[in-house]
Amino acid sequence: MAAKTHRTAAHPTVLSTRALNRATLDRQLLLRRSAMSAKDAVAHLLGLQAQNTKPPYFQLYARLTDFDPGELSALMESREVVRIVTLRSTLHTHTADDALTLRPLVQAARERELKNFRRGLEGVDLDRLAAVAEELVVERPRPVKELREELLAHWPDADPLALTVAARCLLPLVQVTPRGMWGRGGQVALTTVEHWLGRPAEPVPAPDATVLRYLGAFGPASVMDFQAWAGLTRTKEVFERLRPRLLTFRDERGVELFDLPDAPRPDPGTPAPPRFLPEFDNLLLGHADRTRVISAVNKGRNGVGNQAYGSVLIDGFFDAVWRVEREGGTAILTVQPLRNLLRDERTEITEEAARMLAAMTDATDHDVRFGTFLDYGD
């Protein structure tokens, strides 16, 4: 039974935290695995967090039936998906089409980021830097160290880090393969997305279509939620322009939420199976208010300092962390619960963990344990 969506302009329906959780999990393909292709899933999710090389593969494993890591790896090799800095100045795996449209959409935000490095860029003509860097990476993909040294030859008094950050912000640079491919290593080497794909980027698009796609993958959501996901500001007028096409709700705090009329909003009592998410997943980062997935008591508990760990969704909410270690031919997955677990929950988590180890490691033996490996210092 679907959650009620009837509302009037004066009294919009209030969606509980649990209702928001189930709606978002459904759109994130986490209530049940989807049979869609890896490429279609990357497009539906508007990209995958990709600071590290393995998380995109684990994100798709959690969402797709019979996912084979080689499918995403082949898409990278054929240049149908790419690794590029876009949303929130973070590296993402995007389809080629999205890389050519989302990057122009957030380009102004990337250029504003340079203000944080202005001291290290004193005396640097940014237009000339962009031209020099583009010439270098189009000639051939350049490792980061080599690009930095080439730029320093032009601006020896500049801060080396600031120069490479400026190149990344001014130019739509992709990390070329084999970096990011499953089972293959490779240092970071950069070229422009247009050169890598052999076609030009699109003109800066209006954000309307991206807002609608965001709601389809992350909604119902507020203006601030969208801005937190995209790393953009001042988008309220976009939502106002789209308002006649959308439904509106309120969350339990009274914040206005927008949604697509035909988007799924399952009953809050819909079962949510356990899911193992990697250390970076947009489900956990796609909203300004993350309580639909992360309770206030668990905020910030998927890591310590700069070290992040995987997150386990239990009954739809982040309630455990996980890591995998190798001892010879055995892959050992340790789950550290953040609350007392029911016997059935432990059983379901163990079964899901065993399936993941079989599918996503080459270990001959698997061991799933419950224990403590993360000290929060509280």
Side-chain angles (χ1 to χ4, degrees):
M1 175 180 172
K4 286 187 177 181
T5 59
H6 174 73
R7 57 91 175 93
T8 65
H11 302 287
T13 296
V14 173
L15 294 177
S16 68
T17 298
R18 194 174 182 87
L20 289 174
N21 173 272
R22 292 311 196 251
T24 305
L25 290 182
D26 197 339
R27 299 174 208 195
Q28 284 284 306
L29 315 179
L30 290 167
L31 270 188
R32 65 197 66 80
R33 284 186 165 92
S34 169
M36 70 173 57
S37 69
K39 183 177 179 180
D40 287 345
V42 173
H44 169 73
L45 297 167
L46 286 95
L48 308 171
Q49 288 269 135
Q51 293 101 308
N52 295 337
T53 57
K54 289 186 177 179
Y57 295 91
F58 283 87
Q59 290 170 64
L60 292 182
Y61 173 79
R63 292 167 165 89
L64 302 182
T65 57
D66 302 319
F67 172 65
D68 179 355
E71 184 182 358
L72 179 60
S73 198
L75 291 170
M76 296 188 65
E77 191 166 31
S78 64
R79 309 188 188 187
E80 294 176 75
V81 303
V82 298
R83 292 164 56 83
I84 184 173
V85 172
T86 52
L87 310 167
R88 305 182 303 280
S89 195
T90 302
L91 193 66
H92 279 72
T93 295
H94 286 295
T95 65
D97 288 343
D98 278 350
L100 293 169
T101 55
L102 285 177
R103 177 57 192 244
L105 179 64
V106 301
Q107 181 58 38
R110 300 291 67 77
E111 292 173 4
R112 287 195 298 272
E113 184 183 348
L114 287 177
K115 293 179 181 178
N116 299 325
F117 297 87
R118 57 183 179 276
R119 288 188 178 179
L121 295 169
E122 288 182 3
V124 176
D125 182 326
L126 294 180
D127 288 337
R128 181 165 174 254
L129 185 151
V132 169
E134 183 172 13
E135 183 177 355
L136 288 167
V137 299
V138 167
E139 181 183 31
R140 59 180 171 82
R142 302 276 179 162
V144 175
K145 183 175 182 292
E146 183 180 329
L147 177 60
R148 181 185 301 121
E149 291 172 348
E150 292 281 0
L151 294 175
L152 273 172
H154 290 269
W155 294 278
D157 296 328
D159 176 69
L161 175 62
L163 288 174
T164 52
V165 169
R168 185 199 70 185
C169 289
L170 295 169
L171 298 174
L173 299 178
V174 297
Q175 294 186 0
V176 305
T177 53
R179 180 71 174 177
M181 294 180 63
W182 186 255
R184 294 177 60 182
Q187 66 177 329
V188 175
L190 304 170
T191 190
T192 66
V193 66
E194 296 99 330
H195 182 69
W196 186 243
L197 298 178
R199 51 190 170 118
E202 299 292 329
V204 179
D208 301 47
T210 302
V211 166
L212 296 175
R213 290 180 64 195
Y214 169 78
L215 293 176
F218 292 87
S222 69
V223 175
M224 293 301 293
D225 287 332
F226 173 78
Q227 292 183 170
W229 168 81
L232 297 175
T233 59
R234 301 178 182 178
T235 63
K236 184 176 180 180
E237 65 180 27
V238 182
F239 282 80
E240 292 302 324
R241 186 163 61 240
L242 293 171
R243 184 182 290 275
R245 300 170 56 182
L246 302 174
L247 295 180
T248 57
F249 303 91
R250 296 279 177 182
D251 67 14
E252 293 176 328
R253 296 172 178 80
V255 175
E256 185 176 39
L257 306 173
F258 295 84
D259 204 9
L260 305 175
D262 57 352
R265 287 175 288 278
D267 188 288
T270 303
R275 291 288 185 259
F276 284 78
L277 303 181
E279 58 266 34
F280 301 109
D281 192 297
N282 272 333
L283 172 73
L284 305 174
L285 301 166
H287 303 85
D289 179 359
R290 300 170 185 174
T291 56
R292 70 180 66 197
V293 180
I294 305 173
S295 66
V297 70
N298 285 338
K299 181 180 179 181
R301 295 176 72 87
N302 61 339
V304 173
N306 293 325
Q307 179 63 58
Y309 292 91
S311 300
V312 186
L313 300 183
I314 307 172
D315 189 29
F317 292 86
F318 164 54
D319 266 326
V321 291
W322 66 278
R323 71 175 183 182
V324 174
E325 299 175 297
R326 290 292 290 264
E327 289 186 5
T330 301
I332 301 171
L333 189 154
T334 303
V335 176
Q336 179 174 332
L338 302 180
R339 62 169 174 82
N340 292 327
L341 300 180
L342 302 174
R343 179 181 299 176
D344 288 349
E345 291 176 329
R346 293 174 72 94
T347 298
E348 291 177 354
I349 290 167
T350 300
E351 292 173 348
E352 177 67 12
R355 287 190 291 267
M356 183 178 69
L357 289 176
M360 300 296 287
T361 75
D362 60 0
T364 54
D365 294 305
H366 312 124
D367 186 7
V368 179
R369 304 173 181 176
F370 291 83
T372 300
F373 58 85
L374 188 53
D375 182 3
Y376 295 103
D378 51 22

